[in-house]
Amino acid sequence: MAYLELHNIYKTYGQGAHETEVLSNINLKIEEGEFVAIVGFTGSGKTTLVNLINGLLAPTSGSILFKGVPVSGTSHERGVIFQNYSLLPWLTVGQNILMAVKEAFPKKSKSALNEIVASYVAMVNLTPAINKRPKELSGGMRQRVAVARALAMKPEMIIMDEPLGALDALTRGNLQDEILNIWGKDKRTALLITNDVDEGIYMADRIIPLRPGPRATLGPEFKIDLERPRDKTALNDNASFKKTRNAIIEYLMDIGDARKSEAKEPVILPDLAPKSFVKYF
Amino acid sequence: MKAITLGSFSKFVGLDFFTSLKNLFTGKLAKEDFKKFLRKVIVPLASILIFVGLWHLGAKSLYNIEATFRIEKALKDQGPVAAAALKTCIASGQASCQPNTLPSPTQVWDSFQSLLRDHRIINADKAAFIEKTATLNTKRIAAGKNAITYTGRPSFVDQIFRSLQTVFAGFLLALFIAVPLGIFIGLSPTLKSAFNWFIQIFKPVSPVVWYLLVFMIVKTLLIDSNEDSSFTISFISVGLCAMWATLVNTAMGVSSVDKDYINVAKVLKLGTFQKIFKVVLPSSLPLIFTGLKITLSVAWMVLIAIELLAQSPGLGLFVWEEFQNGANDSNAKIIVAMFVIGIIGFLLDRFMLTIQNWVSFDKTDAI
């Protein structure tokens, strides 16, 4: 049995005539220790999918099994890194992480909890900023806090919803390496949602495209057989990398074109002629 | 920890013109500072002077209208001799025949001085009384009797402190009712619809009606007590009248917490208690404080009317008694009370703004 299983997931919003089907017939299996990336266009229902897996939303039909048990509500076993960091602005970096750690390990003593906080802050290289508030940090630093907060709870699976989407290319590259390093240490199961194919290929074992919504569904998977640790510069000349990359992009472009042509149904314009006002004068 | 300088502190409490004032005296006045000084100090001072000037002219013309009217009336009713006598009497400035109208700035200032003198006299009286009764009181207490207390007339300054006591008691009552209730209403849509009609109907009720309502209830509740219930009645009315802004703002703040923060609370699996105190309350704090600020200023505003009705000692009663008194400096004393009320209201508002800046996570949110 797989670690995380999604069977025939449907998710609709609204009711009656206003009902829109966002996700349709989603089937997914993730094995333990695997790093899976889901790539898709903006607005294709990626965040809905993530919220179904982390338990913030419930599917309209279908079942989600985590280690064989149906998912009902959120759990400390699945850590989430949100797209917009979602740090609490009135707490410092340390307090933000401490709040999570306190919930995850309610029995530990205060000093033990503070030690955990300090070690995870150090892991994301933010020790000098531990007493700062999120407002005083840059986007990359904030996302590192969010990463530390998710990991400090020692989740068995990390779910990342476009974690690096709002960052510039350089910071993005650095954080990709940092996340991979951390993941490489204890090989937790990871699910990455992204709109960047290169990021997916660089980080994941498997890439699954999400066909755009409404009625979004998962496309065929692409296995990435590159050795770890991967080298970003060398990757550009790697034949296998190029092949997979082109295949995925081609697939996504085809869907995009198909969607566009769907929208290109001819619109019949009313037959209008400019009216002459001459006779009124 | 940053050192608190005069500059940062005065900026914090919203009085940053002190900085430019300080720069003026330390000789560090740059051109930029000079402009700021002009705008923040000179312009307000000039407008105050213009205001006082206009007031003076207005009061003078009102005085003349009243004086002419009286002299003409005396001429018509009592003949030229009485009119001439009244004219010399008014010109001599005798208290008995002065026209009763809007007092001039100098009269108000004199009344202010006389109120302060009065306060010193009453204070001395009180001290003498306490000294005189000290030995007697120790005997009475030893014998198990009540001590004799000073029951003389309160001075103007005493009235100010009584008013402040009433307003703070009312404000605390509003705080302890409106904030918890607002949190519950904000958290539960069921409670919100249960309370909505109640809030909509009672919010616009006038302070006078609140006073009468509280009077009906408290009078019956304290039917056995011989104590003076006017303070209780007035602070409860002030609290009930002023609490609505806080109630509505708290409910709105709590129900409109950013969805991201709620998601964080869910993912971290915070308990209800933790969720309310660590996420919901801090994020709605700026709105709650805006509500409290409005509540305090409303409390101070309705206080005068309620004290007047309740006959509870304080500035409201002072104004009413002076009006009923009709002495020749009564009008000036009423104007003194008006300025004192205004200035204290302003200080209370600054005080709340300072606390709001202190507790809010986002300093720019404070309005």
Side-chain angles (χ1 to χ4, degrees), chain B residues 87-105:
Chain B
K87 202 172 181 180
T88 42
C89 179
I90 290 174
S92 72
Q94 240 184 59
S96 62
C97 52
Q98 285 307 307
N100 181 20
T101 184
L102 179 73
S104 71

Side-chain angles (χ1 to χ4, degrees), chain A residues 9-13 51-52 55-62 64 71-73:
Chain A
I9 297 292
Y10 286 85
K11 178 69 190 172
T12 58
Y13 287 120
N51 285 347
L52 287 173
L56 282 172
L57 291 175
T60 311
S61 73
I64 302 173
V71 166
S72 61

